[in-house]
Amino acid sequence: MEPIRDIAVVAFAQSDHRRTSDEHSEVEMLLPVLHEVLDRTGLRAGDIGFTCSGSSDYLAGRAFSFTMALDGVGAWPPISESHVEMDGAWALYEAWTKLLTGDADTALVYSYGKSSPGSVRDVLTRQLDPYYLAPLWPDPVALAALQARALIDAGETDETELAAVATRSRASATANSHAQLRGSVPQGDYLVRPLRTGDCPPIGDGAAAVILAAGDRARELCERPAWIRGIDHRVEAHSLGVRDLTDSPSARLAAERAGAFERPVDTAELHAPFTSQEVVLRKALRLDDSVRVNPSGGALAANPIMAAGLVRIGEAAARIHRGESDRALAHATSGPCLQQNLVAVLEGDTR
Amino acid sequence: MSKEPVAVVGIGQTKHVAARRDVSIAGLVREAAQRALADAELTWADIDAVVIGKAPDFFEGVMMPELYLADALGATGKPMLRVHTAGSVGGSTALVAANLVAGRVHGTVLTLAFEKQSESNAMWGLSLPIPFQQPLLAGAGGFFAPHVRAYMRRTGAPDTVGSLVAYKDRRNALKNPYAHLHEHDITLEKVQASPMLWDPIRYSETCPSSDGACAMILTDRAGAARSPRPPAWMHGGAMRSEPTLFAGKDFVSPQAGKDCAADVYRQAGIADPRRDIDAVEMYVPFSWYEPMWLENLGFADEGEGWKLTESGVTELEGDLPVNMSGGVLSTNPIGASGMIRFAEAALQVRGQAGEHQVDGARRVLGHAYGGGSQFFSMWLVGAAPPSS
């Protein structure tokens, strides 16, 4: 896929991700992030050509929850704006298509999620097939454990290797002041066999925002823009019974369409909330040991639902901005056991 | 850099009813999608991506239902996006799909919006209390009634105008086989004698709760050339949003609606909407919103919209037909309602609206709004391809 217009991530900001944020509403959690990302470019809300957000009513516990967040953006005079009921990575995809049409040159993308007010394991069961699966209340940890068991049974990994993924992720997170879990964290007791607490993501609240810009506008706004060389997303069947849980054909296809396999990447930010899912994704995305995977600590260090995917794109882009990466892969996922996957390939200009 | 022209080559919807107990949510959406594919004479294999929209997940009690619906919509192995912009979502969903074609990301896209209100309770879904935030008061009617009253005060419109709109839309619905309400014995007197719900809004001036889905196939120039039936061409499309509540907000004629229409007209080269546009399918959930939106969309000067309605201009046989399908007042699967407006506009310019066809409809506006009159999405479609 050859985009008809060069579009780049030019700024990224995120909140500190925390176990609880009782004292803040979603809007209050989001506002400093919006201000920070705008400050990085010197743009104001009124300068932005298109705005798109991602969030979930079910996390907020109310219908139309995104309307209050929009109030926080400062949508006056009226703005060109849209919203996906998905992770913010897909809001970024919608904004990217809008910039491709030429109708806008800059876009603000944001997403947020508070998991702390309820039981997120229960809440996420409500995204399953409402007639046959949801009534059984299988929670995301139990479903991920099925996937981990399938991997171990297939000889693709073992519990020691899974523990090493967790250890590496949280060690990397020591350099990330926004992460919820940093440094050494015990692998812990079994939560759902074969997954221990250390194999599972923390439950937390957080927000993220990104600014996209096209062509010369991107060069004006950022010293080293993170050009989106390709971005694609694919979904698989919902039912776990018809999927090979040890593989991720949708991630592979998205990566292929995004051009990820054309040249090696040096960095990969994977949205793998469970250690076992990193094993699946490394294989599907052909990431060998030469690639720095999740230098931010990944979703095992902070997993603000609906923002964690956008954070991956932001983290990958920020490494390019800082000159720590030249070509990075960013990945986001949605649904049980990696049902839906998005892959973006970001590059900095040659130095 | 020029955009790829976008054409509508397939339209499908379900017969909208209070409760489709014979199908699951998946069955409902698949029915609309298959009808759109049949209209375009395409198969699932011809679809490159799926863009799906609906109003709040609480309306069915399923979080992010697109995940479960991926199989039913043939999306396995394809990109699937889920849009949610409140009541305007059906229109926004179509515009997101259109951008995929216009930006040359995909050649042919299936877009679909639905609501299966019978699976849950929409009033409950809208009434979950949130601490420290304003409740939206006694459902949608309670929120909008004061703004209707403000319109009447501001313009001096006689209190008979709302019932004229309802009477017209319900009669139009009788000509639309997919409309939910088919009130064969409707009379103006019956509308006017219906109970007052939220003064000045009467029961017969409100929309029903429907189960239903609407789908469209959007494609590029090459796809349009293969279309077995005349395509509808997109000449302009836009979304605009403004905050829910703030001092100085004009709830009677929100700035976001005006700006959105102006953007669409600029893209489509419309200088005088009243003269240049042949018919309008607009989002009128409460009858008084017809005269209000006529002004907001530039079809009438401020304070004059009700006169167009009263003089019969907006009747099916009038000079500017409004809501030929019967409108939201006759059919309201909330998440799909905006897309039905967009689809009706396309049906009209394709000459395929059946008994509610407007003779010579060449350029038709589809309009949707949502939230507290804060989210707007519109498109203008034409029988001829865009010139630029």
Side-chain angles (χ1 to χ4, degrees), chain A residues 86-93 111 231-236 248 250-252 254-255 268-273 277 281 285 294 299 303-304 306-314 316 329-335 337-345, chain B residues 67 80:
Chain A
M86 306 177 81
D87 186 287
W90 278 267
L92 183 143
Y93 181 86
S111 63
I231 181 168
D232 193 85
H233 58 98
R234 302 281 153 166
V235 68
E236 293 175 40
S248 181
S250 60
R252 183 180 295 111
E269 277 285 342
L270 304 181
H271 184 193
Q277 294 180 342
L281 290 167
L285 300 173
N294 288 342
N303 189 39
M306 299 300 140
L310 183 62
V311 170
R312 303 281 74 74
I313 299 176
L329 180 151
H331 160 266
T333 195
S334 178
C337 297
L338 304 172
Q339 186 194 345
Q340 191 172 18
N341 294 284
L342 177 147
V343 172
V345 177
Chain B
L67 294 165
M80 188 176 200

Side-chain angles (χ1 to χ4, degrees), chain A residues 166-316:
Chain A
T167 303
R168 193 206 73 242
S169 296
R170 282 166 188 159
S172 297
T174 50
N176 178 359
S177 63
H178 299 288
Q180 186 177 328
L181 294 180
R182 295 198 292 271
S184 73
V185 179
Q187 194 59 8
D189 297 329
Y190 285 113
L191 201 54
V192 179
R193 280 179 190 268
L195 296 178
R196 297 171 183 269
T197 51
D199 294 305
C200 304
I203 293 169
D205 305 347
V210 153
I211 290 177
L212 300 181
D216 291 341
R217 198 81 185 91
R219 291 185 184 88
E220 289 164 18
L221 295 170
C222 181
E223 201 171 315
R224 192 169 193 247
W227 300 106
I228 301 174
R229 294 300 182 211
I231 181 168
D232 193 85
H233 58 98
R234 302 281 153 166
V235 68
E236 293 175 40
H238 182 64
S239 172
L240 302 182
V242 301
R243 286 155 60 189
D244 174 1
L245 295 180
T246 68
D247 197 7
S248 181
S250 60
R252 183 180 295 111
L253 184 56
E256 188 185 311
R257 294 303 178 104
F261 301 142
E262 289 166 15
R263 283 190 296 122
V265 296
D266 55 45
T267 303
E269 277 285 342
L270 304 181
H271 184 193
F274 298 92
T275 52
S276 43
Q277 294 180 342
E278 182 177 308
V279 176
V280 175
L281 290 167
R282 272 179 180 268
K283 186 174 72 170
L285 300 173
R286 303 181 201 164
L287 302 172
D288 60 26
D289 290 341
S290 70
V291 180
R292 181 93 197 266
V293 173
N294 288 342
S296 68
L300 287 164
N303 189 39
I305 294 176
M306 299 300 140
L310 183 62
V311 170
R312 303 281 74 74
I313 299 176
E315 289 280 7

Side-chain angles (χ1 to χ4, degrees), chain A residues 1 4-5 25-27 50 56-64 66-68 70-71 74-87 90 93-94 96-103 123-124 126-131 232-239 242 253 306 334-336 339-340, chain B residues 1-3 23-26 48 55-64 66-68 70-71 75-87 92 96 99-100 102-106 116 119 125-126 128 130 133-134 136 237 239-246 255-256 259 267 371 374-375:
Chain A
M1 183 181 60
I4 56 178
R5 200 177 186 208
S25 68
E26 283 95 344
V27 189
F50 181 66
S56 165
D57 278 349
Y58 257 76
L59 280 186
R62 60 158 296 198
F64 301 131
F66 58 92
T67 61
M68 292 298 168
L70 181 68
D71 290 359
W76 185 263
I79 59 172
S80 175
E81 187 265 348
S82 185
H83 172 259
V84 297
E85 192 81 359
M86 306 177 81
D87 186 287
W90 278 267
Y93 181 86
E94 184 185 329
W96 173 76
T97 64
K98 179 77 174 178
L99 297 193
L100 278 186
T101 67
D103 286 343
V123 170
L124 287 175
R126 303 299 89 193
Q127 69 173 202
L128 303 171
D129 177 329
Y131 307 105
D232 193 85
H233 58 98
R234 302 281 153 166
V235 68
E236 293 175 40
H238 182 64
S239 172
V242 301
L253 184 56
M306 299 300 140
S334 178
Q339 186 194 345
Q340 191 172 18
Chain B
M1 196 192 78
S2 66
K3 287 188 277 189
V23 289
S24 62
I25 299 171
D48 299 320
D57 292 0
F58 283 106
F59 282 4
E60 286 82 11
V62 187
M63 179 185 185
M64 303 165 76
E66 71 279 3
L67 294 165
Y68 140 71
D71 310 45
T76 301
K78 296 175 184 175
M80 188 176 200
L81 267 174
R82 158 71 195 289
V83 180
H84 177 18
T85 63
S92 308
V96 174
N99 278 345
L100 289 173
R104 299 192 176 91
V105 180
H106 297 295
K116 198 162 189 294
E119 299 266 333
L126 285 175
L128 300 168
I130 299 296
Q133 287 178 3
Q134 308 90 328
L136 275 180
M239 295 186 232
R240 284 293 184 283
S241 307
E242 67 180 43
T244 324
L245 302 163
F246 63 99
Q255 189 64 39
D259 291 359
Q267 294 171 39
Q374 64 185 127
F375 302 113

Side-chain angles (χ1 to χ4, degrees), chain B residues 189-246:
Chain B
E189 292 68 34
K190 280 188 178 172
V191 174
Q192 288 168 339
S194 68
M196 189 66 81
L197 291 187
W198 303 276
D199 195 352
I201 299 172
R202 292 182 181 278
Y203 176 76
S204 291
E205 297 173 48
T206 67
C207 48
S209 291
S210 315
D211 283 1
C214 180
M216 290 190 286
I217 312 288
L218 307 183
T219 191
D220 55 15
R221 202 194 299 267
R226 293 190 293 267
S227 174
R229 277 171 273 279
W233 293 93
M234 183 173 159
H235 289 226
M239 295 186 232
R240 284 293 184 283
S241 307
E242 67 180 43
T244 324
L245 302 163
F246 63 99

Side-chain angles (χ1 to χ4, degrees), chain A residues 23-177:
Chain A
E23 71 279 18
H24 289 136
S25 68
E26 283 95 344
V27 189
E28 290 167 321
M29 187 172 71
L30 179 65
L31 260 176
V33 177
L34 291 173
H35 283 288
E36 186 183 333
V37 82
L38 288 166
D39 285 348
R40 283 181 192 278
T41 56
L43 294 171
R44 291 183 299 182
D47 303 325
I48 298 288
F50 181 66
T51 300
C52 197
S53 61
S55 66
S56 165
D57 278 349
Y58 257 76
L59 280 186
R62 60 158 296 198
F64 301 131
S65 59
F66 58 92
T67 61
M68 292 298 168
L70 181 68
D71 290 359
V73 171
W76 185 263
I79 59 172
S80 175
E81 187 265 348
S82 185
H83 172 259
V84 297
E85 192 81 359
M86 306 177 81
D87 186 287
W90 278 267
L92 183 143
Y93 181 86
E94 184 185 329
W96 173 76
T97 64
K98 179 77 174 178
L99 297 193
L100 278 186
T101 67
D103 286 343
D105 292 329
T106 53
L108 170 65
V109 179
Y110 64 90
S111 63
Y112 58 92
K114 285 180 69 158
S115 298
S116 64
S119 164
V120 72
R121 284 175 70 176
D122 289 339
V123 170
L124 287 175
T125 66
R126 303 299 89 193
Q127 69 173 202
L128 303 171
D129 177 329
Y131 307 105
Y132 294 107
L133 199 50
L136 304 173
W137 294 83
D139 72 38
V141 181
L143 297 177
L146 277 177
Q147 188 168 29
R149 174 52 66 198
L151 277 172
I152 292 172
D153 289 350
E156 302 266 357
T157 191
D158 56 34
E159 291 189 36
T160 311
E161 188 180 299
L162 296 182
V165 170
T167 303
R168 193 206 73 242
S169 296
R170 282 166 188 159
S172 297
T174 50
N176 178 359
S177 63

